[in-house]
Structures are given as structure tokens and as C-alpha cells.
Amino acid sequence: MIEIKGLTKKYGSFYALKDLNLTIEEGTVFGFVGANGAGKSTTFSILATLLQPTSGEAWINGISISQNPHEIRKQIGYMPDFFGVYDQLKTDEYLDFYGASYGLDAQQRVVLIPKLLELVNLSAKRHDYVDLLSRGMKQRLCLARALIHDPKVLILDEPASGLDPRARVEMREILRELKAMGKTILISSHILPELAEMCDTLGVIDSGELIAHGSVQSIQEKLQSEKVISVKLTGGFTEAIRFFENDPLVSQITEIHERGILQFLYKGTEEDQLDLLRKAITAGLPVLAFSEEETDLEDIFMEITKGAGTL
Amino acid sequence: MKELLANPVLVKEIKLRFRNMKSFTGLFFYLLIMGIFVFGFINLTSSISGSGFFRPEESFMLFSMLSYIQLGLILFITPGLTAGSVSSEREKQTLNILLTTAQSSFQIIFGKLLSSIAFLLLLLVSGLPIYSMVFLYGGVSPGQIAIIFLFYFLTLLVIGGLGVMYSTLTRRTIVSMIVTYGTMIFLTAVTGFFLILSVSLSSAAMGTGVSPLSYFWASINPAVVLLTLLEPGFNDEIGQMTGIPLPLWVSYTIFYAFIFVGSIWLSVSKLRVNMNKYK
């Protein structure tokens, strides 16, 4: 379990992270959403004992990051957003070095390295020099490196950034496997919408402040102030537009004429929505379908990062 | 000891160093310079004297000059090998990952320093056959060579420690390089200048004898200490002049041991952030 209390990082008068309070249950996957510079990497760096917080505290599996950073390092597997590799080491030597760095003896490493390379689909590249690997392969190798000491917690900062769609899919598959292995995973990514189904909880951070925290659905409900409603009509568009314009909860009506659809933003609750449909039918509008458009996490992410300060 | 030598950083650094052609070319040129000097000196001396042979006194002179050349090479190479040890990892973005491993800061610093020292020792050892040319002509005892090598070891340990320290404290390798070379120049040229200044000023003021400050400048200057190791009689002269009977090499060892311990301590304590500092 990860517990963060009042974590703050200040640079002069600028808050990179402001009073972060968060609890992440063991064996769950936590997704951290936020624009660049929102404070995701700062949080992860503090948890990885690379950055000293200005105030606050965090515990990983009950171990304090400030009191016992050495023990924390054994508990976590950290993958930074930007990292380099030792260009004259081979793939297996790279893992061997980090295995030794975590105190694994030579025999353990010999057994473990092929398994890890298989997990990240790099078995064929075992004897290749690390700098000759593609970016996606390097990312996967770095993930294998983070797993070498079998940590309970994985802190993955943008593990799929800069990857092509195929490499992203591969990365997602690996993360799914890790989730099935019962790891507690903290992940920040721009591909979070793709990972939504594997995240148990999400945290939305903006300008160093956590503005929402909870399940994917609860975040969606909390942050989505307006829904997109689609109404399919068999005719009578002018009357329909006039009708919906009169509703104070409706705005930005657009007509997709060729498909016979009207779309508008709606601020009301589900009951209000039902009432609106009832009124539309009573008013004699030829309604064929009335539905709420599904907005994915990408849309919400865009909305949050556009004007989170007002949320 | 076995655990210390099984240090992952040390093993990795040595592996990387010997996969790099620079190490082999460095070694080649080191031996080339030494070889050219030794054979050139022998050839020149025997042809100038016209005797066709090489006298023990000349052999000792060759040994002294060779010792100075080797000292110069050590002083010149050590900063280059150590001043980028930590900062280059920072520049290559490999440091953060290294710092999140279970290795202690001491292990990392020790591994970095020892890998550079190991290469420097290899240079010294590989130069031994050239050094041993001097034995063919006599005039130098093996004990003297052993003492000179211990002196080299201490000197490269300290310069190396300083290089690693600056590399830990500064963000960029180029800055660390400049500061390490600057410190090396201070310890050799600047202290030498202060020694000359101090000797001439005190002789002008007191007529005979020189101030204890001159002893200090002499005791931290590797070139002067090497001179006392080559010519032990020089120690007595300094003792008489300054009134400090302690041989220079003793003060040198104490002073440099302090610098070494200080630089390693600072490197270890500054490598990682102190997570508990704000409490």
C-alpha cells in the first residue's frame, strides 16, 4: 500500500506539488493524469527517493521514504520518463548489472534474466548491444530492469511516451501481465485512455494539485460537467432546434443533416434528460433515437488540461 | 575485500572501459612516451659521453627523470579518467536509475573510483618493464622503486578522489574536468610558485633559514616530495632550513589522506538527496 500525506515540493515560490494526499491500495493500478509539468514526475521522483520533498511524507508498504529510503529502493521498481542506457553493454549484461546492484547473486541472475527478457519479448535480442535497440525495445528493457528484484511496487513514469502504436500495444500487454502478477502499479501516461480499463483508480493532477481521485467512472462523472446528447429525427429539424434552444440546460446545438442527427451539450441530470425526452415527444418531434454520446478519457483529459483551474 | 571487489559498478565500469578503444590507445601512447624517453636518453647519453657505456650515476638520473615523467602522466591522466565518472552518468541520464538501486552511495562512489584507479595501476604496471631498464645499469634499488610506486598510488588516489568528488558535486563533466585540472595545477604549479616565493621572501627577511610556511608548500607539492624520495638527503636540508624535522613525505601522506577521506566523504554524502533533511 502507498500512502501519501501532505506531500509538497516548492521551488522558491513555485509549487511543483502542493499538499498531495493519496492512498493506493496494494495490488491495484493507479493512473496519474495531468499535462506536462503538472507534478506527476515530481511525485514519482519523490517516491523513488530521487527528490527531497519540501514537506509531507509518504509510506510504501509502511516504510517511510524519508526515514528509510534505502529500504524503499528495494521495494520499488522505478522507470523514469527519460532515461539513458550504457551503450557498450549487451542486453543481458545490462540486466545482469542491475541484478547485481540489487544484491542478486550470479546464479539467481542467470535464471532470472531469460525469464524477464521473455516477459518483455526481448529474448531474441539477448546478445545485442543496448544502444542498437529501438526505442520501444529500450522501454521494455527498462521495464524488465525495474522488475529484476521482484519489487512489490512499480513506479512507471510515462512508460509509453514516444512509442509507435504497435509498441504501445505491446507495452500495454506487458502491464496487464504485471497487474495479473499482483504488482501495485503507479503509472503516468498520455496513453491513459488506452489504459483506462486496467487502472483501478485514477488521479488527476494539475499545477501540482490533485483535482480528482477515484475510479475511472467516478472521475468521469466528477469532471464531465456537460454531456453530449445526440437526437436522431426523421424530420422537422427547424422545430426541433427551436424546441431544444428554449431549454436552459441545452447549449451549442449542431445539426448533422445528412445523418438526421442533432447534437447539443447538456448540463442536466439523468432525470432532467428523461424529462427533456418526454417533452420532445409530447411536443410532437419525430424522435427516432435519443442518446448520450460516450466521451472517452482522452476527451476528459483534454478538458481537464484545458481549464482545470476552474474545476 | 571480496565483496568490495565484486562491486557491480566496478565490474560494469571495467567492462565498459575495456570495450572502448580509447583505453588501449591511451595505454599505447603512455608506453610509447616512456619508451621513447628511456631509449632516447640512453642513446643520447652514451653518444655524448663517447664512452659507449652507461654509468650508474647516469642510470640514477634516468630513473629520476623517468619518475618525474610518470608523475606528470599520472597527474595529467587521472583527472581525465575520474572527473566525468558521476557527471557523465547524469548527462547520459543513467544516474537516476542507478540511484534507485539498492547499492549504497559508498558502493557506487567506490566502484567509480576503483575502476579508474585500476586502469591507472595498469598503466603503472605496464610501464614497469621500461622502468626495469634502469636496473640493467644499476644505481637504483628495488626498494626505492617500491616507495616511488606507493607515492604514485597515494597521489593518484587523491587526484582521483577529487575528480570523483567534483564530478558528484557539479552537474556537467566539462565543469568537473576544469575544476579537477585546476586543483591538480594548484597542487603542483601554484604550490611550487608559493614555495619559491616563500623561500625567497623569508631568506630576504631573515638572511638564513626559511619560514615554516615554505615547509607547508613543499610538503603538499608532489614534485618536491618526489625529489625528497629520490634524494632522501634533501629532507634533512629542509628540516634544518625550516626547523621542522618531520620528513616531507610524512606530512604529504597526512595531508593527502585528509583530502582523500574528505573528498570521498563529500561524494558519498552528496550523491543522493537527503530525504530526511527537511525534518
Side-chain angles (χ1 to χ4, degrees):
Chain A
M1 193 174 91
I2 300 167
E3 213 181 337
I4 300 171
K5 274 190 183 164
L7 210 59
T8 301
K9 180 67 190 176
K10 249 176 106 176
Y11 296 100
S13 59
F14 171 74
Y15 279 93
L17 195 61
K18 198 173 182 183
D19 193 29
L20 179 69
N21 293 289
L22 202 60
T23 304
I24 299 156
E25 295 300 327
E26 198 175 336
T28 60
V29 180
F30 174 79
F32 220 10
V33 198
N36 291 334
K40 305 185 299 286
S41 295
T42 305
T43 309
F44 284 3
S45 295
I46 293 172
L47 291 177
T49 72
L50 288 171
L51 194 64
Q52 181 194 23
T54 309
S55 61
E57 180 62 285
W59 295 264
I60 295 176
N61 297 329
I63 303 161
S64 154
I65 57 157
S66 63
Q67 299 300 316
N68 202 349
H70 186 69
E71 199 51 45
I72 289 286
R73 287 177 204 122
K74 293 179 187 169
Q75 299 278 329
I76 62 161
Y78 172 64
M79 185 173 167
D81 49 352
F82 297 106
F83 63 89
V85 290
Y86 300 111
D87 46 10
Q88 281 176 344
L89 279 187
K90 291 177 182 172
T91 304
D92 55 349
E93 291 172 341
Y94 179 82
L95 291 178
D96 188 72
F97 164 61
Y98 285 104
S101 297
Y102 282 103
L104 303 180
D105 63 41
Q107 275 185 325
Q108 286 175 300
R109 296 186 321 248
V110 165
V111 175
L112 199 61
I113 290 168
K115 285 182 185 170
L116 282 172
L117 288 173
E118 199 183 324
L119 177 74
V120 297
N121 301 324
L122 283 176
S123 298
K125 300 285 176 185
R126 189 177 173 171
H127 301 299
D128 288 16
Y129 281 101
V130 175
D131 62 329
L132 299 177
L133 300 180
S134 69
R135 184 174 172 140
M137 287 175 185
K138 280 181 192 165
Q139 298 276 85
R140 288 189 338 246
L141 180 64
C142 191
L143 184 59
R145 192 265 318 149
L147 290 165
I148 194 118
H149 56 301
D150 193 22
K152 290 177 183 157
V153 175
L154 284 172
I155 299 173
L156 313 174
D157 198 358
E158 310 266 359
S161 69
L163 299 187
D164 59 40
R166 188 181 184 83
R168 283 179 171 213
V169 171
E170 283 172 346
M171 180 62 82
R172 201 171 62 206
E173 289 307 315
I174 296 165
L175 291 174
R176 254 197 212 112
E177 273 188 62
L178 293 173
K179 186 190 177 186
M181 286 160 74
K183 306 272 182 203
T184 307
I185 305 174
L186 274 78
I187 182 166
S188 74
S189 174
H190 287 117
I191 61 152
L192 202 70
E194 288 179 278
L195 296 173
E197 84 264 24
M198 65 168 284
C199 282
D200 299 297
T201 49
L202 283 181
V204 181
I205 190 167
D206 187 75
S207 305
E209 286 186 77
L210 190 72
I211 53 173
H213 174 223
S215 67
V216 176
Q217 204 189 342
S218 69
I219 296 254
Q220 213 152 356
E221 283 167 9
K222 188 176 175 185
L223 296 172
Q224 202 176 359
S225 55
E226 291 179 329
K227 312 163 188 180
V228 179
I229 304 286
S230 281
V231 184
K232 188 162 186 170
L233 300 153
T234 53
F237 281 92
T238 321
E239 294 80 25
I241 291 171
R242 204 176 299 130
F243 170 81
F244 288 118
E245 266 177 352
N246 285 332
D247 194 302
L249 300 172
V250 171
S251 63
Q252 291 184 31
I253 303 173
T254 48
E255 187 183 338
I256 310 168
H257 204 268
E258 64 275 13
R259 286 167 55 200
I261 288 174
L262 274 187
Q263 255 184 5
F264 52 82
L265 295 177
Y266 191 67
K267 277 184 185 168
T269 61
E270 284 187 343
E271 283 72 33
D272 295 331
Q273 216 171 301
L274 197 65
D275 194 41
L276 181 67
L277 173 62
R278 205 176 286 130
K279 279 182 188 166
I281 291 167
T282 315
L285 295 178
V287 179
L288 201 62
F290 186 97
S291 60
E292 186 185 325
E293 286 293 306
E294 280 207 10
T295 42
D296 61 17
L297 219 52
E298 190 84 61
D299 298 326
I300 299 172
F301 177 72
M302 293 306 287
E303 189 185 325
I304 295 161
T305 51
K306 187 176 67 189
T310 58
L311 281 166
Chain B
M1 189 65 187
K2 197 183 167 191
E3 256 181 40
L4 278 180
L5 293 177
N7 182 313
V9 173
L10 172 66
V11 174
K12 185 260 297 175
E13 291 286 320
I14 288 179
K15 199 178 275 179
L16 291 182
R17 198 177 291 284
F18 285 99
R19 278 190 183 160
N20 197 331
M21 269 308 284
K22 275 193 279 183
S23 302
F24 294 99
T25 47
L27 192 60
F28 172 75
F29 282 109
Y30 179 81
L31 295 175
L32 190 71
I33 292 170
M34 294 253 299
I36 288 173
F37 177 77
V38 170
F39 290 106
F41 185 86
I42 293 171
N43 210 6
L44 207 67
T45 318
S46 50
S47 63
I48 286 174
S49 66
S51 54
F53 61 84
F54 199 62
R55 292 196 303 273
E57 307 88 71
E58 288 167 345
S59 169
F60 185 75
M61 196 178 159
L62 170 66
F63 172 70
S64 305
M65 291 179 87
L66 206 53
S67 300
Y68 271 102
I69 284 181
Q70 200 152 27
L71 176 67
L73 287 171
I74 287 169
L75 290 173
F76 183 73
I77 296 168
T78 313
L81 284 176
T82 54
S85 51
V86 177
S87 52
S88 66
E89 291 244 13
R90 197 176 280 125
E91 285 166 347
K92 281 194 253 167
Q93 296 183 315
T94 50
L95 187 65
N96 272 358
I97 295 177
L98 186 63
L99 296 184
T100 52
T101 64
Q103 287 191 91
S104 67
S105 300
F106 177 77
Q107 262 184 307
I108 296 172
I109 292 294
F110 181 77
K112 289 278 178 192
L113 178 66
L114 204 61
S115 67
S116 305
I117 298 297
F119 183 70
L120 287 159
L121 286 179
L122 176 72
L123 287 186
L124 290 180
V125 171
S126 65
L128 271 177
I130 297 173
Y131 241 100
S132 65
M133 291 289 293
V134 179
F135 288 120
L136 291 175
Y137 303 100
V140 182
S141 72
Q144 206 163 13
I145 288 197
I147 288 170
I148 301 283
F149 269 68
L150 279 174
F151 163 77
Y152 286 154
F153 183 66
L154 175 66
T155 308
L156 64 88
L157 211 58
V158 173
I159 303 287
L162 285 169
V164 172
M165 180 189 78
Y166 290 132
S167 182
T168 310
L169 298 179
T170 57
R171 299 195 72 81
R172 295 178 59 205
T173 301
I174 185 77
V175 178
S176 168
M177 254 339 154
I178 292 168
V179 182
T180 312
Y181 275 108
T183 308
M184 185 271 287
I185 289 167
F186 174 81
L187 289 171
T188 51
V190 178
T191 55
F193 171 74
F194 282 149
L195 172 65
I196 294 165
L197 200 70
S198 166
V199 169
S200 48
L201 281 177
S202 52
S203 337
M206 296 188 276
T208 54
V210 290
S211 77
L213 195 62
S214 311
Y215 177 89
F216 172 72
W217 294 122
S219 69
I220 63 171
N221 187 300
V224 177
V225 175
L226 180 60
L227 184 66
T228 65
L229 294 176
L230 292 165
E231 288 281 0
F234 192 60
N235 258 324
D236 303 330
E237 276 180 47
I238 290 174
Q240 279 167 7
M241 280 197 294
T242 59
I244 302 170
L246 200 65
L248 280 188
W249 69 265
V250 177
S251 312
Y252 183 84
T253 307
I254 294 168
F255 184 80
Y256 274 55
F258 268 115
I259 295 182
F260 177 69
V261 171
S263 57
I264 294 301
W265 176 79
L266 210 58
S267 307
V268 170
S269 58
K270 293 288 175 189
L271 181 67
R272 285 184 165 112
V273 293
N274 184 353
M275 295 298 288
N276 198 23
K277 208 175 176 181
Y278 68 95
K279 292 276 174 192

